Amino acid sequence: MTVIPQVHPASGDRPRHRRLSRTVAATVVAASTGLALFSVAASAAPATGSDARQRQFAAAAAEFKVPQSVLLALAYQQTRWESHNGEPSTTGNYNVMGLTQVDPSELVSTEGGHQHGQGDGLPEPAAPAATTPAPKPQDSPALHTLDEAAALLGRPADQLRTDPAQSIRGGAALLAKYQRETGGSLGTGPETWYNAVVRFSQTAPAAGGNVFADRVFETVREGAARITVDGQAVSLAADAALTVDRPLQSRAATPGNLECPATVSCTGAWADDANYAVTNRPADGQKIQYIVIHDTEGSWDGTISTFKNPATEASAHYLVGAGGTHDGQVAQLVNTKNTAWHAGNKTFNMHSIGLEHEGYALGQNANKQPTWYTEQLYRSSAELTKFLAGKYGIPLDRQHIIGHDEIPKPIDSVPPMHWDPGTFWDWSHYMDLAGAPVRAAAGGSLLVGGKVTIAPPFDANNQPPVAETGPRPQNFVYLRQSPDGAAALINGGTTAASDVRAKAVAGSSYVVAAQQGDWTAIWYDGVQGWFHNPNGQSAAADNRRGQNVATPRAGVASIPLYGRAYPEQAAYAKYPGVTYNPTSHNPVPLNVSVPAGQKYTLLSDTPVKGDIFYDVNGVQAVVTGDDTYYPVRYGHRLGFLKSTDVDLTVATVPPAAGYTPVGPKRLMDTREGLGGSTRLGGAGTASLQVTGGNTGVPADATAVILNVTAVSPSQGGYVTVYPDGQPRPVASNLNFTAGQIVPNLVVVPVVNGKVNFFNAAGTVDLLADITGYYSPSGSSKFTSAGPARLLDTRSSGAVGPNSSVTLQVSGREGVPADATGVILNVTVTEPSTTGFLTVYPHGTSRPGVSNLNFTPGQTVPNLVMVPLVDGKVDFYNPAGTVQVIADITGYYSPGGSSKFTSAGPTRLLDTREGLGGSTRLGPDGVATLQVAGKAGLPDSGVTAVVLNVTSVNGSSPGYVTVYPDGTPRPEVSNLNFLANQVIPNLVVVPVVNGKVNFFNKAGTIDLIADITGYYTAG
């Protein structure tokens, strides 16, 4: 919520701090609740399983003769298909369809308990008296869409609150009713349902109903897919060609005096000019650098009334509504060139824009604590944030799009700062909508001295306890004194919602202090704070190159932290009529010391000059000094370090590395205990030393190339290979059924000189054969080639039993004579019997390993990275006959163009959830994946990527080809599969336009792509 800490132009240089008076502070707006938010599932008969909600949508659409695509899209725009366990939103919406049930008598309540006034340290004045009567709550049909739907179904309202299936049926029944009321017919195509969707919003077309309907039909055109918090997989296929009848009045154009994007419904509700400073930002020198997210702790009408009260001395620039006729509506309260008093910290007020959101950080009362903000509020706010960030050049990241809870005290003497928007504000979703996902640049190994981005899932996997609420998704992780779930929280922190002393919130960035398996420690508020990070679900490395971090300068034991960036005293003398006031202008630090050796992330590599907006007795000036400060993220809240107090160091990242061939050489065989491990049991992990000793791999190796083979698994399962000392990723490198022999090539980063092997279920033996490694001293670099076919025995004759074929590689497709290794996509087809194929350097002893295993008649591809001897490689077939195809994708040589950097494993594509921007592929379907700028990859200069690509749940036999964007698709396959098979394969693919493409030949298929490294020129 907004704090009241600012200088009144007529009151000298004394900030006034007042408590906001909210007479309407209940969860729901008095006038009405806009778009109903819907719960999941809709069928008369109970449906179970992960697709239950999908089937409930289909059943409800058929029952009420509404287009299934419209019903799905409408619910997606209401709740993203979430049931929220039947708990209400901050404005009284329930379940999958977001239907409303609000008692108007509950709309009048006193303000919540967490708000307070803040400023520059002067005493807080008494709460302002209301100058006009508070708006009276009004009942409205928009508050009772749940009751209306229950009546249509003839079912108790409680069922629609708590049962996703009945919520979906109720939403479908309402939509059908509105279709008839707006003159439409049931059973017609989606293009005729626009008016009914507008009516569903409970908002007039020009006042926001058309905005909602446009978003719904945009979802129909684009499609959507996700897995809900309660484990329901729901998808909507794209209908890109859909055109919609829009006979109703178009939404009103934004008036010229409003600063809003055209994609939201915007109105003016101007605050009294006694509640903000009249300035001329940024032309007057007050650069706008932040957007601050607040919640109102009250209603739309009550908030506007408060800011129109001249005695309040507080304001924000915008208010975003939730529920009723204001759901997703934006009101501008203060022009952005003026300085609203919202943050409780003058430095941040000067350099930010404040966005209030209708809702509550904790709850309206003890009985009805909400658990979610409405989807339309999120979407309109994110559109507004994108618009403002573009207008003022504000970086779209969580270091500049911040919560009120992240604003520091300006000085120690002020009361505790606010903590809105609270622990259930979904930062990850919000930043997705703003076009800047918190994990967009994250991926790779977590390295001490490197940066890490906090990014817990906002679902059932992240429900840390909060004292005042039951279990629910939260936006933070707790920080503990040691890597133990039973350890005490750091800094005396508690589980109270308002206590931010041991909470690291989604999107925030810190420096890694230590790493131990599933636990990561960060520098936080002067100490090491440990958080649990299983499978990397809570945070990810930010391994972008060239990022600076701040540490106390050499030779000092500690340095001070500042809560505001004020100029030095001498600066005031430069401005006529300006007088330095030691009480309110002194740039005094907080009572906080930053110990030597600790490191903190910068909000900007360029220090800011200390400044203050001076407004005393008619004299106005932006006083700017010579002292400069680095804005940093110190703990949960931000802070400032004087530039003269710090040294900047570059955050640790994996180094670029060259290739060195080795082997093939067996490092692990659990059948014989080679490598120190025996047969792995279910959920078992083997750690393998891959550097030093007789491995032939130096200690500075950054990644190794292993051919890993699963032998005699007792049941179906998978194996994951990942760096030692790191969280195990949610990726598989080998998938198998009972009794299979399955090999796959793996490029895995090396940490602590080791890599780990995890077996998910049953028992299995594992073999690991090294064929090369990457290190800073590696002399060979990568060059893309092809894909081009070098071998196809179908034209020369099949390879017979116990026979070898030699392939000349150098001198073809640009491969030089001094090439040290080659990357081949090798495919076997038409085998006459069960067997295997071994690929190895020409003229060397044939290793006892397989690169491909197959059964009669099968077509199987696999990637091979093999050293070259005399420019050649050999292919050996032990039994039967088989056709062999080999396509080159690249090679290594001393004169190569690109070095390798490890970056993962990090998931970039999962069509089951829409990750990467694509959904399930149909026949002849193509998915395009942006890789540059993701997972720590640079925005430009990436020449190729190493991906572990997995096909899942294919509807029929088929194949997938991975190839560079903007190039003709080659006639090769990277994965071949049968119906319902799970098949992974490593792919090295050149990058064009920062992207790669995935082509599916037949049937439908889901695809997963996990990056393990990339190549850049140099």
Side-chain angles (χ1 to χ4, degrees):
M1 60 162 287
T2 295
V3 259
I4 309 162
Q6 292 314 314
V7 179
H8 190 288
S11 64
D13 200 27
R14 176 188 175 98
R16 301 291 183 88
H17 319 295
R18 303 201 182 268
R19 297 180 180 275
L20 294 186
S21 174
R22 315 268 188 188
T23 53
V24 183
T27 300
V28 192
V29 174
S32 56
T33 23
L35 307 175
L37 298 179
F38 296 49
S39 199
V40 270
S43 69
T48 59
S50 64
D51 67 341
R53 194 155 300 163
Q54 186 86 50
R55 290 185 283 116
Q56 290 162 353
F57 274 109
E63 179 183 0
F64 294 99
K65 296 181 174 60
V66 303
Q68 185 177 346
S69 62
V70 175
L71 186 63
L72 279 162
L74 189 151
Y76 187 82
Q77 285 293 330
Q78 292 283 65
T79 63
R80 294 196 298 152
W81 304 319
E82 294 286 356
S83 71
H84 296 287
N85 293 319
E87 299 295 330
S89 75
T90 61
T91 44
N93 305 85
Y94 288 88
N95 222 298
V96 180
M97 299 304 294
L99 302 177
T100 58
Q101 189 180 52
V102 180
D103 182 351
S105 67
E106 295 180 350
L107 294 177
V108 181
S109 82
T110 57
E111 88 177 46
H114 87 279
Q115 65 184 57
H116 54 268
Q118 289 293 323
D120 284 348
L122 299 181
E124 180 182 335
T131 58
T132 57
K136 217 175 206 182
Q138 299 293 321
D139 202 356
S140 162
L143 299 179
H144 306 291
T145 58
L146 188 145
D147 300 297
E148 182 183 6
L152 291 173
L153 299 182
R155 288 184 174 269
D158 180 65
Q159 288 188 7
L160 277 73
R161 283 198 306 269
T162 59
D163 184 345
Q166 298 309 321
S167 176
I168 294 173
R169 290 187 67 234
L174 277 179
L175 188 60
K177 176 176 181 285
Y178 298 152
Q179 173 75 343
R180 291 190 298 268
E181 290 178 351
T182 55
S185 300
L186 302 184
T188 55
E191 68 277 0
T192 68
W193 286 73
Y194 187 89
N195 294 349
V197 174
V198 173
R199 175 75 177 83
F200 194 97
S201 75
Q202 310 296 317
T203 307
N210 280 356
V211 172
F212 175 71
D214 287 348
R215 289 173 178 170
V216 168
F217 284 95
E218 181 183 18
T219 301
V220 174
R221 281 187 287 269
E222 293 183 352
R226 67 185 301 265
I227 298 175
T228 64
V229 169
D230 53 358
Q232 294 293 316
V234 186
S235 64
L236 168 61
D239 186 358
L242 177 68
T243 57
V244 180
D245 300 331
R246 295 178 79 251
L248 286 180
Q249 173 189 356
S250 297
R251 60 181 180 235
T254 300
N257 63 335
L258 296 176
E259 303 164 283
C260 292
T263 51
V264 303
S265 173
C266 191
T267 188
W270 304 104
D272 191 275
D273 60 9
N275 294 330
Y276 59 88
V278 177
T279 54
N280 189 28
R281 306 183 308 165
D284 62 4
Q286 298 182 78
K287 183 179 180 182
I288 300 173
Q289 299 169 297
Y290 308 96
I291 294 173
V292 182
I293 304 300
H294 303 261
D295 73 59
T296 61
E297 297 299 308
S299 72
W300 171 279
D301 293 333
T303 299
I304 290 173
S305 176
T306 296
F307 292 151
K308 287 183 177 294
N309 179 357
T312 299
E313 295 190 4
S315 61
H317 292 94
Y318 295 90
L319 168 63
V320 185
T325 55
H326 303 296
D327 199 7
Q329 188 174 13
V330 174
Q332 185 164 7
L333 312 171
V334 176
N335 191 288
T336 58
K337 72 178 181 179
N338 295 322
T339 303
W341 299 335
H342 63 97
N345 183 310
K346 190 161 188 172
T347 293
F348 282 93
N349 283 341
M350 289 173 59
H351 298 288
S352 70
I353 294 172
L355 276 56
E356 286 279 3
H357 297 79
E358 186 179 8
Y360 300 83
L362 183 60
Q364 150 198 16
N365 55 52
N367 298 319
K368 291 192 175 180
Q369 288 178 345
T371 62
W372 49 289
Y373 290 88
T374 72
E375 181 65 12
Q376 294 305 298
L377 174 145
Y378 277 126
R379 288 180 179 268
S380 291
S381 179
E383 289 290 332
L384 180 60
T385 287
K386 280 195 294 186
F387 169 78
L388 295 170
K391 180 176 181 177
Y392 291 110
I394 303 169
L396 265 177
D397 59 42
R398 280 281 289 114
Q399 316 319 313
H400 298 86
I401 314 301
I402 58 178
H404 196 181
D405 57 324
E406 295 168 277
I407 302 293
K409 284 185 175 186
I411 57 176
D412 284 310
S413 60
V414 302
M417 294 292 285
H418 291 195
W419 54 278
D420 55 312
T423 62
F424 65 94
W425 176 267
D426 189 348
W427 274 115
S428 293
H429 179 46
Y430 186 76
M431 296 306 292
D432 284 348
L433 293 173
V438 297
R439 284 182 178 261
S445 299
L446 291 161
L447 305 176
V448 173
K451 291 177 64 174
V452 60
T453 298
I454 306 299
F458 197 79
D459 60 23
N461 293 309
N462 190 64
Q463 298 189 21
V466 173
E468 300 90 341
T469 72
R472 67 183 185 191
Q474 307 284 5
N475 62 15
F476 69 92
V477 294
Y478 280 121
L479 299 174
R480 302 188 180 276
Q481 294 179 12
S482 62
D484 184 340
L489 299 177
I490 63 171
N491 297 326
T494 69
T495 61
S498 61
D499 190 342
V500 301
R501 290 176 292 177
K503 292 185 176 83
V505 71
S508 54
S509 180
Y510 299 93
V511 178
V512 177
Q515 175 63 37
Q516 185 175 313
D518 285 344
W519 287 85
T520 301
I522 56 176
W523 293 118
Y524 182 102
D525 201 4
V527 299
Q528 280 191 19
W530 289 89
F531 64 90
H532 195 214
N533 192 23
N535 304 125
Q537 74 167 28
S538 299
D542 180 356
N543 285 333
R544 290 174 293 174
R545 297 189 179 281
Q547 297 186 94
N548 289 321
V549 296
T551 189
R553 61 183 172 84
V556 299
S558 65
I559 60 174
L561 181 78
Y562 294 79
R564 60 191 184 189
Y566 274 11
E568 68 280 5
Q569 180 177 348
Y572 292 79
K574 304 174 186 176
Y575 298 85
V578 171
T579 302
Y580 174 78
N581 183 332
T583 303
S584 55
H585 297 155
N586 187 8
V588 60
L590 299 170
N591 187 26
V592 173
S593 294
V594 183
Q598 296 187 4
K599 296 181 179 181
Y600 292 92
T601 56
L602 303 174
L603 277 59
S604 169
D605 278 346
T606 304
V608 298
K609 289 188 174 183
D611 62 1
I612 186 172
F613 176 67
Y614 183 95
D615 188 0
V616 181
N617 299 325
V619 177
Q620 292 187 336
V622 178
V623 177
T624 303
D626 294 323
D627 284 356
T628 59
Y629 300 80
Y630 283 107
V632 297
R633 185 174 289 279
Y634 185 62
H636 188 97
R637 300 187 188 274
L638 310 178
F640 298 93
L641 298 174
K642 278 196 172 180
S643 58
T644 52
D645 288 341
V646 303
D647 290 329
L648 299 186
T649 62
V650 178
T652 304
V653 297
Y659 164 82
T660 301
V662 64
K665 180 177 184 179
R666 182 150 295 171
L667 299 184
M668 180 170 76
D669 187 338
T670 61
R671 299 171 301 182
E672 303 174 2
L674 177 64
S677 296
T678 55
R679 186 173 175 88
L680 266 69
T685 299
S687 182
L688 176 66
Q689 183 74 39
V690 294
T691 63
N694 63 354
T695 65
V697 181
D700 66 346
T702 60
V704 288
I705 304 164
L706 301 173
N707 193 58
V708 181
T709 306
V711 178
S712 303
S714 64
Q715 66 179 72
Y718 66 86
V719 165
T720 300
V721 189
Y722 62 103
D724 182 62
Q726 298 287 307
R728 175 171 53 83
V730 286
S732 63
N733 298 96
L734 296 93
N735 290 67
F736 42 76
T737 57
Q740 263 192 318
I741 298 176
V742 176
N744 197 17
L745 193 69
V746 174
V747 176
V748 59
V750 175
V751 176
N752 304 323
K754 303 175 184 177
V755 298
N756 293 338
F757 300 76
F758 170 80
N759 174 47
T763 61
V764 67
D765 279 308
L766 293 178
L767 317 179
D769 302 283
I770 189 167
T771 63
Y773 63 87
Y774 298 98
S775 68
S777 58
S779 59
S780 292
K781 294 188 283 187
F782 172 80
T783 302
S784 295
R789 187 145 292 171
L790 299 185
L791 173 69
D792 189 340
T793 62
R794 292 175 298 182
S795 61
S796 59
V799 183
N802 196 31
S803 298
S804 296
V805 171
T806 297
L807 174 65
Q808 178 70 43
V809 175
S810 62
R812 304 175 66 185
E813 297 300 326
V815 180
D818 62 350
T820 57
V822 65
I823 302 174
L824 299 172
N825 193 57
V826 179
T827 305
V828 296
T829 190
E830 303 173 14
S832 64
T833 187
T834 298
F836 66 87
L837 190 75
T838 299
V839 188
Y840 60 103
H842 176 67
T844 65
S845 299
R846 174 168 48 84
V849 302
S850 63
N851 298 96
L852 296 92
N853 290 66
F854 43 80
T855 57
Q858 205 176 14
T859 298
V860 178
N862 199 16
L863 194 73
V864 173
M865 294 185 183
V866 58
L868 286 172
V869 173
D870 298 328
K872 303 173 184 176
V873 296
D874 291 342
F875 299 78
Y876 171 74
N877 172 47
T881 61
V882 66
Q883 304 286 3
V884 179
I885 302 164
D887 301 288
I888 188 172
T889 63
Y891 62 89
Y892 298 96
S893 68
S897 61
S898 301
K899 283 195 168 185
F900 175 83
T901 302
S902 60
T906 300
R907 185 148 294 171
L908 297 184
L909 174 71
D910 189 339
T911 61
R912 299 171 301 179
E913 303 177 9
L915 177 64
S918 298
T919 54
R920 186 172 175 89
L921 269 67
D924 293 324
V926 175
T928 297
L929 178 65
Q930 177 74 36
V931 293
K934 307 292 184 181
L937 277 67
D939 293 328
S940 61
V942 178
T943 57
V945 288
V946 182
L947 300 172
N948 191 58
V949 181
T950 306
S951 61
V952 180
N953 299 327
S955 64
S956 66
Y959 68 84
V960 166
T961 300
V962 189
Y963 61 101
D965 183 59
T967 65
R969 173 171 53 87
E971 295 299 321
V972 301
S973 63
N974 297 97
L975 294 92
N976 290 66
F977 45 82
L978 302 175
N980 298 315
Q981 247 188 334
V982 177
I983 296 290
N985 197 15
L986 198 70
V987 173
V988 176
V989 57
V991 173
V992 176
N993 305 322
K995 303 172 185 177
V996 297
N997 293 336
F998 300 76
F999 168 79
N1000 173 50
K1001 176 58 179 175
T1004 61
I1005 191 76
D1006 280 308
L1007 292 178
I1008 300 167
D1010 302 286
I1011 190 167
T1012 62
Y1014 63 94
Y1015 296 90
T1016 52

